[in-house]
Coordinates of all heavy atoms in Angstrom, one line a residue:
M5 N 3.7 34.8 -18.1 CA 3.4 33.6 -18.8 C 4.0 32.4 -18.1 O 3.3 31.4 -17.9 CB 3.9 33.7 -20.3 CG 3.3 32.7 -21.2 SD 1.5 32.7 -21.3 CE 1.2 32.1 -22.9
R6 N 5.2 32.5 -17.7 CA 5.9 31.4 -17.0 C 5.1 31.1 -15.7 O 4.9 29.9 -15.4 CB 7.3 31.7 -16.7 CG 8.0 30.6 -15.9 CD 9.5 30.9 -15.8 NE 10.2 30.8 -17.1 CZ 11.4 31.1 -17.4 NH1 12.2 31.6 -16.4 NH2 12.0 31.0 -18.6
T7 N 4.7 32.1 -15.0 CA 3.9 31.9 -13.7 C 2.7 31.1 -14.0 O 2.3 30.2 -13.2 CB 3.5 33.2 -13.1 OG1 4.7 34.0 -13.0 CG2 2.9 33.1 -11.8
F8 N 2.0 31.4 -15.1 CA 0.8 30.6 -15.4 C 1.0 29.1 -15.5 O 0.3 28.3 -15.0 CB 0.2 31.2 -16.7 CG -0.9 30.3 -17.2 CD1 -2.2 30.3 -16.7 CD2 -0.7 29.3 -18.2 CE1 -3.2 29.5 -17.2 CE2 -1.7 28.5 -18.7 CZ -2.9 28.6 -18.2
F9 N 2.1 28.8 -16.2 CA 2.4 27.4 -16.4 C 2.8 26.7 -15.1 O 2.4 25.5 -14.8 CB 3.6 27.2 -17.4 CG 3.1 27.3 -18.8 CD1 3.6 28.3 -19.6 CD2 2.2 26.4 -19.3 CE1 3.1 28.4 -20.9 CE2 1.7 26.5 -20.6 CZ 2.2 27.5 -21.4
V10 N 3.5 27.4 -14.2 CA 3.8 26.8 -12.9 C 2.5 26.5 -12.1 O 2.3 25.4 -11.5 CB 4.7 27.7 -12.1 CG1 4.9 27.2 -10.6 CG2 6.1 27.8 -12.8
I11 N 1.6 27.5 -12.1 CA 0.3 27.3 -11.3 C -0.5 26.1 -12.0 O -1.0 25.3 -11.3 CB -0.5 28.6 -11.3 CG1 0.3 29.6 -10.4 CG2 -1.9 28.3 -10.8 CD1 -0.3 31.0 -10.5
A12 N -0.5 26.1 -13.3 CA -1.3 25.0 -14.0 C -0.7 23.6 -13.6 O -1.5 22.7 -13.4 CB -1.3 25.2 -15.5
T13 N 0.6 23.5 -13.5 CA 1.2 22.3 -13.2 C 0.9 21.9 -11.8 O 0.6 20.7 -11.5 CB 2.8 22.4 -13.4 OG1 3.0 22.8 -14.7 CG2 3.5 21.1 -13.1
L14 N 0.9 22.8 -10.8 CA 0.6 22.5 -9.4 C -0.9 22.0 -9.3 O -1.1 21.0 -8.6 CB 0.7 23.8 -8.6 CG 2.2 24.2 -8.3 CD1 2.1 25.5 -7.5 CD2 2.9 23.1 -7.4
F15 N -1.8 22.6 -10.1 CA -3.2 22.1 -10.0 C -3.3 20.7 -10.6 O -4.0 19.9 -10.0 CB -4.1 23.1 -10.8 CG -4.6 24.2 -10.0 CD1 -4.2 25.5 -10.1 CD2 -5.6 23.9 -9.0 CE1 -4.7 26.5 -9.3 CE2 -6.1 25.0 -8.2 CZ -5.6 26.3 -8.4
A16 N -2.6 20.4 -11.6 CA -2.6 19.1 -12.3 C -2.1 18.0 -11.3 O -2.7 17.0 -11.2 CB -1.8 19.1 -13.6
S17 N -1.1 18.3 -10.6 CA -0.6 17.3 -9.7 C -1.5 17.1 -8.5 O -1.7 16.0 -8.0 CB 0.9 17.6 -9.2 OG 0.9 18.8 -8.5
A18 N -2.1 18.2 -8.0 CA -3.0 18.1 -6.9 C -4.2 17.3 -7.2 O -4.8 16.5 -6.4 CB -3.4 19.5 -6.4
A19 N -4.7 17.4 -8.5 CA -5.9 16.7 -8.9 C -5.7 15.2 -9.0 O -6.6 14.4 -8.9 CB -6.4 17.2 -10.3
G20 N -4.4 14.8 -9.1 CA -4.1 13.3 -9.2 C -4.3 12.6 -7.9 O -4.4 11.4 -7.9
H21 N -4.5 13.3 -6.7 CA -4.6 12.6 -5.4 C -6.1 12.6 -5.0 O -6.6 13.6 -4.5 CB -3.8 13.3 -4.4 CG -2.3 13.2 -4.6 ND1 -1.6 12.1 -4.2 CD2 -1.4 13.9 -5.3 CE1 -0.3 12.2 -4.5 NE2 -0.2 13.3 -5.2
A22 N -6.8 11.5 -5.3 CA -8.2 11.4 -4.8 C -8.2 11.1 -3.3 O -7.1 10.8 -2.7 CB -8.9 10.3 -5.6
G23 N -9.3 11.3 -2.7 CA -9.4 11.0 -1.2 C -9.2 9.6 -1.0 O -9.4 8.7 -1.8
A24 N -8.6 9.3 0.2 CA -8.4 7.9 0.6 C -9.7 7.2 0.8 O -10.7 7.7 1.3 CB -7.5 7.8 1.9
A25 N -9.7 5.9 0.4 CA -10.9 5.1 0.5 C -10.9 4.3 1.8 O -9.8 4.1 2.4 CB -11.1 4.2 -0.7
E26 N -12.0 3.8 2.2 CA -12.1 2.9 3.4 C -12.7 1.6 2.9 O -13.8 1.6 2.3 CB -13.0 3.5 4.5 CG -13.0 2.5 5.7 CD -13.7 3.1 6.9 OE1 -15.0 3.0 6.9 OE2 -13.1 3.7 7.8
H27 N -12.0 0.5 3.1 CA -12.4 -0.8 2.7 C -12.9 -1.6 4.0 O -12.2 -1.7 4.9 CB -11.3 -1.6 2.1 CG -10.7 -0.8 0.9 ND1 -11.1 -0.9 -0.4 CD2 -9.6 0.1 0.9 CE1 -10.4 -0.1 -1.1 NE2 -9.5 0.5 -0.4
V28 N -14.2 -2.1 3.9 CA -14.7 -2.8 5.1 C -14.6 -4.3 4.8 O -15.0 -4.8 3.8 CB -16.2 -2.4 5.3 CG1 -16.8 -3.2 6.4 CG2 -16.3 -0.9 5.6
I29 N -13.9 -5.0 5.7 CA -13.7 -6.4 5.6 C -14.3 -7.0 6.9 O -13.8 -6.9 8.0 CB -12.2 -6.8 5.5 CG1 -11.6 -6.1 4.3 CG2 -12.0 -8.3 5.5 CD1 -10.1 -6.3 4.1
G30 N -15.5 -7.7 6.7 CA -16.2 -8.3 7.8 C -15.6 -9.7 8.1 O -14.9 -10.3 7.3
Q31 N -15.9 -10.1 9.4 CA -15.6 -11.5 9.8 C -17.0 -12.1 10.2 O -17.6 -11.6 11.1 CB -14.7 -11.6 11.0 CG -13.2 -11.1 10.6 CD -13.1 -9.6 11.1 OE1 -13.1 -9.3 12.3 NE2 -12.8 -8.7 10.2
K32 N -17.4 -13.2 9.5 CA -18.7 -13.8 9.7 C -18.6 -15.3 9.5 O -18.0 -15.7 8.5 CB -19.7 -13.1 8.8 CG -21.1 -13.4 9.2 CD -22.1 -12.4 8.6 CE -23.4 -12.4 9.4 NZ -24.3 -11.4 9.0
N33 N -19.2 -16.1 10.4 CA -19.1 -17.5 10.3 C -17.7 -18.0 10.1 O -17.4 -18.9 9.3 CB -20.0 -18.0 9.1 CG -21.4 -17.6 9.2 OD1 -22.0 -17.6 10.3 ND2 -22.0 -17.2 8.1
K34 N -16.8 -17.4 10.9 CA -15.4 -17.8 11.0 C -14.7 -17.7 9.6 O -13.9 -18.6 9.3 CB -15.2 -19.2 11.6 CG -15.7 -19.2 13.0 CD -15.5 -20.6 13.6 CE -16.1 -20.6 15.1 NZ -16.1 -22.0 15.6
A35 N -15.1 -16.7 8.8 CA -14.5 -16.5 7.5 C -14.5 -15.0 7.2 O -15.3 -14.2 7.8 CB -15.3 -17.2 6.4
F36 N -13.6 -14.5 6.3 CA -13.7 -13.1 5.9 C -14.8 -13.0 4.9 O -15.1 -13.9 4.1 CB -12.3 -12.7 5.2 CG -11.2 -12.6 6.2 CD1 -10.2 -13.5 6.2 CD2 -11.2 -11.5 7.1 CE1 -9.1 -13.4 7.1 CE2 -10.1 -11.4 8.0 CZ -9.1 -12.3 8.0
T37 N -15.5 -11.8 4.9 CA -16.6 -11.6 3.9 C -16.1 -11.4 2.5 O -16.9 -11.4 1.6 CB -17.5 -10.4 4.4 OG1 -16.6 -9.3 4.6 CG2 -18.2 -10.8 5.7
V38 N -14.8 -11.0 2.3 CA -14.2 -10.9 1.0 C -12.9 -11.6 1.0 O -12.2 -11.6 2.0 CB -14.0 -9.4 0.6 CG1 -15.3 -8.8 0.2 CG2 -13.4 -8.6 1.7
S39 N -12.5 -12.2 -0.1 CA -11.2 -12.9 -0.2 C -10.1 -12.1 -0.8 O -8.9 -12.4 -0.6 CB -11.4 -14.2 -1.0 OG -11.8 -13.9 -2.3
N40 N -10.5 -11.0 -1.5 CA -9.5 -10.2 -2.2 C -9.9 -8.7 -2.3 O -11.1 -8.5 -2.7 CB -9.2 -10.7 -3.6 CG -7.8 -10.2 -4.1 OD1 -7.7 -9.1 -4.5 ND2 -6.8 -11.0 -4.1
V41 N -9.1 -7.8 -1.9 CA -9.4 -6.4 -1.9 C -8.3 -5.6 -2.7 O -7.1 -5.9 -2.4 CB -9.6 -5.8 -0.5 CG1 -9.6 -4.3 -0.5 CG2 -10.9 -6.4 0.1
E42 N -8.7 -4.8 -3.6 CA -7.8 -3.9 -4.3 C -7.8 -2.6 -3.6 O -8.8 -2.0 -3.4 CB -8.2 -3.7 -5.8 CG -8.3 -5.0 -6.6 CD -7.0 -5.5 -7.1 OE1 -6.1 -4.7 -7.2 OE2 -6.9 -6.7 -7.3
A43 N -6.6 -2.1 -3.2 CA -6.6 -0.9 -2.4 C -5.4 0.0 -2.8 O -4.5 -0.5 -3.6 CB -6.5 -1.2 -0.9
K44 N -5.3 1.2 -2.3 CA -4.2 2.1 -2.6 C -3.5 2.5 -1.3 O -4.1 2.5 -0.2 CB -4.8 3.4 -3.2 CG -5.5 3.2 -4.6 CD -4.5 3.5 -5.7 CE -5.2 3.4 -7.0 NZ -4.3 3.1 -8.1
V45 N -2.2 2.8 -1.4 CA -1.5 3.3 -0.3 C -2.2 4.6 0.3 O -2.7 5.4 -0.5 CB -0.1 3.7 -0.7 CG1 0.7 4.4 0.5 CG2 0.7 2.5 -1.1
G46 N -2.4 4.6 1.6 CA -3.1 5.7 2.3 C -4.6 5.3 2.6 O -5.2 6.0 3.3
D47 N -5.1 4.3 1.9 CA -6.5 3.8 2.2 C -6.6 3.2 3.6 O -5.6 2.7 4.2 CB -6.9 2.7 1.2 CG -7.3 3.3 -0.1 OD1 -7.2 4.5 -0.3 OD2 -7.6 2.5 -1.0
D48 N -7.8 3.3 4.2 CA -8.0 2.6 5.5 C -8.7 1.3 5.2 O -9.4 1.1 4.3 CB -8.9 3.5 6.4 CG -8.3 4.7 6.8 OD1 -7.0 4.7 7.1 OD2 -8.9 5.8 6.9
V49 N -8.5 0.3 6.1 CA -9.2 -0.9 6.1 C -9.9 -1.1 7.5 O -9.2 -1.0 8.5 CB -8.3 -2.1 5.9 CG1 -9.1 -3.4 5.9 CG2 -7.6 -2.0 4.5
L50 N -11.2 -1.3 7.5 CA -11.9 -1.5 8.7 C -12.3 -3.0 8.8 O -13.0 -3.5 8.0 CB -13.2 -0.6 8.7 CG -14.0 -0.5 10.0 CD1 -13.1 0.1 11.1 CD2 -15.3 0.2 9.8
F51 N -11.8 -3.6 9.8 CA -12.1 -5.0 10.1 C -13.3 -5.0 11.1 O -13.2 -4.5 12.2 CB -10.9 -5.8 10.7 CG -9.8 -5.9 9.7 CD1 -8.7 -5.0 9.7 CD2 -9.8 -7.0 8.8 CE1 -7.7 -5.2 8.8 CE2 -8.8 -7.1 7.9 CZ -7.7 -6.2 7.9
V52 N -14.4 -5.6 10.7 CA -15.6 -5.6 11.5 C -16.0 -7.0 11.9 O -16.2 -7.9 11.1 CB -16.8 -5.0 10.7 CG1 -18.1 -5.0 11.5 CG2 -16.5 -3.6 10.2
N53 N -16.0 -7.2 13.2 CA -16.4 -8.6 13.7 C -17.9 -8.7 13.8 O -18.6 -8.2 14.7 CB -15.8 -8.8 15.1 CG -16.0 -10.2 15.6 OD1 -16.8 -10.9 15.1 ND2 -15.3 -10.6 16.6
D54 N -18.5 -9.3 12.7 CA -19.9 -9.5 12.6 C -20.3 -11.0 13.1 O -21.3 -11.5 12.7 CB -20.4 -9.4 11.2 CG -20.6 -7.9 10.8 OD1 -20.9 -7.1 11.7 OD2 -20.3 -7.6 9.6
D55 N -19.4 -11.5 13.8 CA -19.5 -12.9 14.3 C -19.9 -13.0 15.7 O -20.0 -12.0 16.4 CB -18.1 -13.6 14.1 CG -18.2 -14.9 13.3 OD1 -19.3 -15.6 13.4 OD2 -17.3 -15.3 12.7
G56 N -20.2 -14.2 16.2 CA -20.5 -14.4 17.6 C -19.3 -14.8 18.4 O -19.5 -15.2 19.6
V57 N -18.2 -14.8 17.8 CA -16.9 -15.3 18.4 C -15.8 -14.3 18.3 O -15.9 -13.3 17.5 CB -16.4 -16.7 17.8 CG1 -17.5 -17.7 18.0 CG2 -16.1 -16.5 16.4
F58 N -14.8 -14.4 19.1 CA -13.6 -13.5 19.0 C -12.8 -13.8 17.7 O -12.7 -15.0 17.3 CB -12.7 -13.7 20.2 CG -13.2 -12.9 21.4 CD1 -14.3 -13.2 22.1 CD2 -12.4 -11.8 21.8 CE1 -14.7 -12.4 23.2 CE2 -12.8 -11.0 22.9 CZ -14.0 -11.3 23.6
H59 N -12.1 -12.8 17.2 CA -11.1 -13.0 16.2 C -9.9 -12.2 16.6 O -9.9 -11.3 17.4 CB -11.6 -12.4 14.8 CG -12.8 -13.2 14.3 ND1 -12.6 -14.5 13.7 CD2 -14.1 -13.0 14.2 CE1 -13.8 -14.9 13.3 NE2 -14.7 -14.1 13.6
N60 N -8.8 -12.6 16.0 CA -7.5 -11.9 16.2 C -6.8 -11.8 14.9 O -6.0 -12.7 14.4 CB -6.6 -12.7 17.2 CG -5.3 -11.9 17.5 OD1 -4.9 -11.0 16.8 ND2 -4.6 -12.4 18.5
I61 N -7.1 -10.7 14.2 CA -6.6 -10.5 12.8 C -5.2 -10.0 12.8 O -4.9 -9.1 13.6 CB -7.6 -9.6 12.0 CG1 -9.0 -10.1 12.1 CG2 -7.1 -9.4 10.6 CD1 -9.2 -11.5 11.7
F62 N -4.3 -10.5 11.9 CA -3.0 -10.1 11.9 C -2.4 -10.3 10.5 O -3.0 -11.0 9.6 CB -2.1 -10.8 12.9 CG -1.8 -12.3 12.5 CD1 -0.7 -12.7 11.9 CD2 -2.8 -13.3 12.8 CE1 -0.4 -14.0 11.5 CE2 -2.6 -14.6 12.4 CZ -1.4 -14.9 11.8
S63 N -1.2 -9.8 10.2 CA -0.5 -10.0 9.0 C 1.0 -10.0 9.3 O 1.5 -9.2 10.1 CB -0.8 -9.0 7.9 OG 0.0 -9.3 6.7
L64 N 1.7 -10.9 8.6 CA 3.2 -11.0 8.7 C 3.8 -10.6 7.4 O 5.0 -10.8 7.2 CB 3.6 -12.4 9.1 CG 3.1 -12.9 10.5 CD1 3.5 -14.3 10.7 CD2 3.6 -12.0 11.6
S65 N 3.1 -9.9 6.5 CA 3.6 -9.6 5.2 C 4.7 -8.6 5.2 O 4.7 -7.7 6.1 CB 2.4 -9.1 4.3 OG 1.4 -10.1 4.2
D66 N 5.6 -8.6 4.2 CA 6.6 -7.6 4.1 C 6.0 -6.2 3.9 O 6.6 -5.3 4.4 CB 7.6 -8.0 2.9 CG 8.4 -9.2 3.2 OD1 8.6 -9.5 4.4 OD2 8.9 -9.8 2.3
A67 N 5.0 -6.2 3.1 CA 4.4 -4.9 2.8 C 3.8 -4.2 4.0 O 3.9 -3.0 4.2 CB 3.3 -5.0 1.7
Q68 N 3.3 -5.0 4.9 CA 2.7 -4.4 6.2 C 2.5 -5.6 7.1 O 1.8 -6.5 6.8 CB 1.4 -3.7 5.9 CG 0.9 -2.9 7.1 CD 0.1 -1.7 6.7 OE1 0.0 -1.3 5.5 NE2 -0.6 -1.1 7.6
S69 N 3.0 -5.5 8.3 CA 2.7 -6.4 9.4 C 2.0 -5.7 10.5 O 2.3 -4.6 10.8 CB 4.0 -7.1 9.9 OG 4.8 -6.2 10.6
F70 N 1.0 -6.4 11.0 CA 0.2 -5.8 12.1 C -0.5 -6.9 12.9 O -0.5 -8.1 12.5 CB -0.9 -4.8 11.6 CG -1.9 -5.4 10.7 CD1 -3.0 -6.0 11.2 CD2 -1.7 -5.5 9.3 CE1 -4.0 -6.6 10.4 CE2 -2.6 -6.1 8.5 CZ -3.8 -6.6 9.0
N71 N -0.9 -6.6 14.1 CA -1.6 -7.6 14.9 C -2.7 -6.8 15.7 O -2.4 -6.0 16.6 CB -0.7 -8.3 15.9 CG -1.4 -9.3 16.7 OD1 -2.6 -9.6 16.6 ND2 -0.6 -10.0 17.6
L72 N -4.0 -7.1 15.4 CA -5.1 -6.3 16.0 C -5.4 -6.8 17.4 O -6.2 -6.2 18.1 CB -6.3 -6.4 15.1 CG -6.1 -5.8 13.7 CD1 -7.4 -5.9 12.9 CD2 -5.6 -4.4 13.8
G73 N -4.8 -8.0 17.8 CA -5.2 -8.6 19.1 C -6.6 -9.2 19.0 O -7.3 -9.0 18.0
A74 N -7.0 -9.9 20.1 CA -8.3 -10.5 20.1 C -9.4 -9.5 20.4 O -9.2 -8.6 21.3 CB -8.3 -11.6 21.2
Y75 N -10.4 -9.5 19.6 CA -11.6 -8.6 19.8 C -12.9 -9.3 19.5 O -13.0 -10.2 18.7 CB -11.4 -7.3 19.0 CG -11.3 -7.5 17.5 CD1 -12.4 -7.4 16.6 CD2 -10.1 -7.9 16.9 CE1 -12.2 -7.5 15.3 CE2 -9.9 -8.1 15.6 CZ -11.0 -7.9 14.7 OH -10.9 -8.1 13.4
G76 N -13.9 -8.9 20.3 CA -15.1 -9.7 20.4 C -16.2 -9.2 19.4 O -16.0 -8.3 18.6
P77 N -17.4 -9.9 19.4 CA -18.5 -9.6 18.6 C -18.9 -8.1 18.6 O -18.9 -7.5 19.7 CB -19.6 -10.4 19.1 CG -18.9 -11.6 19.8 CD -17.6 -11.0 20.4
G78 N -19.1 -7.5 17.4 CA -19.5 -6.2 17.3 C -18.4 -5.1 17.3 O -18.6 -3.9 17.1
V79 N -17.2 -5.6 17.5 CA -16.0 -4.6 17.6 C -15.4 -4.5 16.2 O -15.3 -5.4 15.4 CB -15.0 -5.2 18.6 CG1 -13.8 -4.2 18.7 CG2 -15.6 -5.3 20.0
S80 N -15.0 -3.2 15.9 CA -14.3 -2.9 14.7 C -12.9 -2.4 15.0 O -12.7 -1.7 16.0 CB -15.0 -1.8 13.9 OG -16.3 -2.3 13.6
K81 N -11.9 -2.8 14.1 CA -10.6 -2.3 14.2 C -10.1 -1.7 12.9 O -10.4 -2.3 11.8 CB -9.6 -3.5 14.6 CG -10.0 -4.1 15.9 CD -9.3 -3.4 17.0 CE -9.5 -4.1 18.4 NZ -8.7 -3.5 19.4
K82 N -9.4 -0.6 12.9 CA -9.0 0.0 11.6 C -7.5 0.1 11.5 O -6.8 0.3 12.5 CB -9.5 1.5 11.6 CG -9.4 2.2 10.3 CD -9.8 3.6 10.3 CE -11.3 3.8 10.2 NZ -11.7 5.2 10.0
I83 N -7.0 -0.1 10.3 CA -5.6 0.1 10.0 C -5.5 1.0 8.7 O -6.4 1.1 8.0 CB -4.8 -1.2 9.7 CG1 -5.4 -1.9 8.4 CG2 -4.9 -2.2 10.9 CD1 -4.4 -3.0 7.9
K84 N -4.3 1.6 8.6 CA -4.1 2.4 7.4 C -3.0 1.7 6.6 O -2.0 1.2 7.1 CB -3.6 3.8 7.7 CG -3.4 4.7 6.5 CD -3.1 6.2 6.9 CE -4.3 6.9 7.4 NZ -5.3 7.2 6.3
L85 N -3.2 1.6 5.3 CA -2.3 0.9 4.4 C -1.1 1.8 4.1 O -1.3 2.9 3.6 CB -3.0 0.4 3.1 CG -4.1 -0.6 3.4 CD1 -4.9 -0.8 2.1 CD2 -3.6 -1.9 3.9
E86 N 0.1 1.4 4.4 CA 1.2 2.3 4.4 C 2.2 2.0 3.2 O 3.0 2.9 2.8 CB 2.0 2.2 5.7 CG 1.3 2.8 6.8 CD 1.7 2.3 8.2 OE1 2.6 1.4 8.3 OE2 1.1 2.7 9.2
K87 N 2.2 0.8 2.6 CA 3.1 0.5 1.6 C 2.5 -0.3 0.5 O 1.5 -1.1 0.7 CB 4.3 -0.3 2.1 CG 5.4 0.5 2.8 CD 6.4 -0.4 3.5 CE 7.2 -1.2 2.4 NZ 8.2 -2.1 3.1
A88 N 3.0 -0.2 -0.8 CA 2.5 -1.0 -1.8 C 3.0 -2.4 -1.7 O 4.0 -2.7 -1.1 CB 2.9 -0.4 -3.2
G89 N 2.1 -3.4 -2.1 CA 2.5 -4.8 -2.0 C 1.3 -5.6 -1.7 O 0.2 -5.2 -1.6
Q90 N 1.6 -6.9 -1.5 CA 0.6 -7.9 -1.1 C 0.5 -8.1 0.4 O 1.5 -8.4 1.0 CB 0.9 -9.2 -1.8 CG 0.9 -9.1 -3.3 CD -0.1 -9.9 -4.0 OE1 -0.3 -11.1 -3.7 NE2 -0.9 -9.3 -4.8
V91 N -0.6 -7.8 1.0 CA -0.8 -8.0 2.4 C -1.7 -9.2 2.6 O -2.9 -9.2 2.4 CB -1.4 -6.7 3.1 CG1 -1.5 -6.9 4.6 CG2 -0.5 -5.5 2.8
E92 N -1.1 -10.3 3.1 CA -1.9 -11.5 3.4 C -2.4 -11.4 4.8 O -1.6 -11.2 5.8 CB -1.1 -12.8 3.2 CG -2.1 -14.0 3.4 CD -1.3 -15.3 3.2 OE1 -0.2 -15.4 3.7 OE2 -1.9 -16.3 2.7
V93 N -3.7 -11.5 5.0 CA -4.4 -11.3 6.3 C -4.9 -12.6 6.8 O -5.5 -13.4 6.1 CB -5.6 -10.2 6.1 CG1 -6.2 -10.0 7.5 CG2 -5.1 -8.9 5.5
E94 N -4.6 -12.8 8.1 CA -5.0 -14.1 8.7 C -5.6 -13.9 10.1 O -5.6 -12.8 10.6 CB -3.7 -15.0 8.9 CG -2.9 -15.2 7.6 CD -1.6 -16.0 7.9 OE1 -1.7 -17.1 8.3 OE2 -0.6 -15.4 7.7
C95 N -6.1 -15.0 10.7 CA -6.7 -14.9 12.0 C -5.9 -15.9 12.9 O -5.8 -17.1 12.6 CB -8.2 -15.2 12.0 SG -8.9 -15.2 13.7
A96 N -5.4 -15.4 14.0 CA -4.7 -16.3 14.9 C -5.5 -17.3 15.6 O -5.0 -18.3 16.1 CB -3.9 -15.4 16.0
I97 N -6.8 -17.1 15.7 CA -7.7 -18.0 16.4 C -8.3 -19.1 15.4 O -8.5 -20.2 15.8 CB -8.9 -17.2 17.0 CG1 -8.3 -16.2 18.1 CG2 -9.9 -18.2 17.7 CD1 -9.3 -15.3 18.6
H98 N -8.5 -18.7 14.1 CA -9.0 -19.6 13.1 C -8.1 -19.7 11.9 O -8.1 -18.8 11.0 CB -10.4 -19.0 12.6 CG -11.3 -18.7 13.8 ND1 -11.6 -17.4 14.2 CD2 -12.0 -19.6 14.6 CE1 -12.5 -17.5 15.2 NE2 -12.7 -18.8 15.5
P99 N -7.2 -20.7 11.9 CA -6.1 -20.8 10.9 C -6.6 -20.9 9.5 O -5.9 -20.6 8.6 CB -5.4 -22.1 11.3 CG -5.8 -22.3 12.7 CD -7.2 -21.7 12.9
R100 N -7.9 -21.3 9.3 CA -8.4 -21.4 7.9 C -8.8 -20.0 7.3 O -9.1 -19.9 6.1 CB -9.6 -22.3 7.9 CG -9.2 -23.7 7.7 CD -10.4 -24.6 7.4 NE -10.7 -25.5 8.5 CZ -11.8 -26.2 8.6 NH1 -12.6 -26.3 7.6 NH2 -12.0 -27.0 9.7
M101 N -8.9 -19.0 8.2 CA -9.2 -17.6 7.7 C -8.0 -17.0 7.0 O -7.0 -16.7 7.7 CB -9.7 -16.8 8.9 CG -11.1 -17.2 9.4 SD -11.6 -16.1 10.8 CE -11.8 -14.5 10.0
K102 N -8.2 -16.7 5.7 CA -7.1 -16.0 5.0 C -7.7 -15.1 3.9 O -8.7 -15.5 3.3 CB -6.2 -17.0 4.3 CG -5.2 -17.7 5.2 CD -4.2 -18.5 4.4 CE -3.5 -19.6 5.3 NZ -2.5 -19.0 6.2
M103 N -7.2 -13.9 3.7 CA -7.6 -13.1 2.6 C -6.4 -12.2 2.2 O -5.4 -12.2 2.9 CB -8.8 -12.3 2.9 CG -8.7 -11.3 4.1 SD -8.1 -9.7 3.5 CE -9.2 -9.2 2.3
M104 N -6.5 -11.6 1.0 CA -5.4 -10.8 0.5 C -5.8 -9.4 0.2 O -6.9 -9.2 -0.4 CB -4.9 -11.5 -0.8 CG -3.6 -10.9 -1.4 SD -2.2 -11.3 -0.4 CE -1.9 -13.0 -0.9
I105 N -5.0 -8.4 0.5 CA -5.2 -7.0 0.1 C -4.0 -6.7 -0.8 O -2.9 -6.8 -0.5 CB -5.2 -6.1 1.3 CG1 -6.2 -6.5 2.4 CG2 -5.5 -4.6 0.9 CD1 -6.1 -5.7 3.7
D106 N -4.4 -6.3 -2.0 CA -3.4 -5.9 -3.0 C -3.3 -4.3 -3.0 O -4.2 -3.6 -3.3 CB -3.8 -6.3 -4.4 CG -3.8 -7.8 -4.6 OD1 -2.8 -8.4 -4.2 OD2 -4.8 -8.3 -5.1
V107 N -2.2 -3.8 -2.5 CA -2.0 -2.4 -2.3 C -1.1 -1.8 -3.4 O 0.0 -2.3 -3.6 CB -1.4 -2.1 -0.9 CG1 -1.4 -0.6 -0.6 CG2 -2.1 -2.9 0.2
S108 N -1.7 -0.9 -4.1 CA -0.9 -0.2 -5.2 C -0.7 1.3 -4.9 O -1.4 1.8 -4.1 CB -1.5 -0.5 -6.5 OG -2.8 0.1 -6.5
R109 N 0.2 1.9 -5.6 CA 0.4 3.3 -5.4 C -0.7 4.1 -6.1 O -1.2 3.8 -7.0 CB 1.8 3.7 -6.1 CG 3.0 3.1 -5.4 CD 3.9 4.2 -4.8 NE 4.6 3.6 -3.7 CZ 4.5 3.8 -2.4 NH1 3.6 4.7 -2.1 NH2 5.2 3.2 -1.5
Ligands
LIG224 CU1 -11.0 -15.6 13.6

């Protein structure tokens, strides 16, 4: 009987972890295609340059800092969200480009 409860508990905790999602954030007309994204730790974010110009997407946020470097039209760059918190995303080439990723557990 005790064994049954242990196994049932293991299944219950495994069911709580859904697969990681992928969030696509485009860059078009020197702007992000979305201004706010709700995400979970472990999700991927794909930055897609749908523009005719280069972008250099980065973040200096405490939750996650990264710098994708300059990349041209048609190029995509992926990151994995590693910590909960607010990740403010900017472009080093276009200072007006800003968006926020809210990462929760
Ligand atoms: Cu840009």
Side-chain angles (χ1 to χ4, degrees):
M5 198 53 155
R6 179 170 293 172
T7 306
F8 169 79
F9 280 117
V10 170
I11 290 169
T13 305
L14 286 174
F15 271 109
S17 62
H21 292 274
E26 182 175 85
H27 306 271
V28 176
I29 300 174
Q31 295 99 63
K32 198 159 197 176
N33 301 322
K34 298 180 184 174
F36 289 109
T37 53
V38 284
S39 58
N40 198 286
V41 167
E42 303 279 334
K44 298 267 187 202
V45 173
D47 285 358
D48 292 322
V49 177
L50 187 66
F51 293 96
V52 181
N53 187 344
D54 283 326
D55 231 331
V57 297
F58 276 69
H59 292 285
N60 182 350
I61 305 307
F62 72 98
S63 178
L64 299 174
S65 300
D66 289 340
Q68 190 154 346
S69 66
F70 61 87
N71 183 1
L72 300 181
Y75 55 101
V79 177
S80 299
K81 299 272 184 175
K82 189 187 280 192
I83 64 163
K84 185 171 284 292
L85 298 169
E86 289 157 1
K87 279 174 67 180
Q90 300 244 307
V91 180
E92 188 181 37
V93 182
E94 304 174 68
C95 178
I97 300 171
H98 307 105
R100 274 190 250 173
M101 290 178 65
K102 283 184 198 291
M103 62 86 57
M104 187 72 79
I105 306 172
D106 294 312
V107 187
S108 60
R109 295 243 156 249

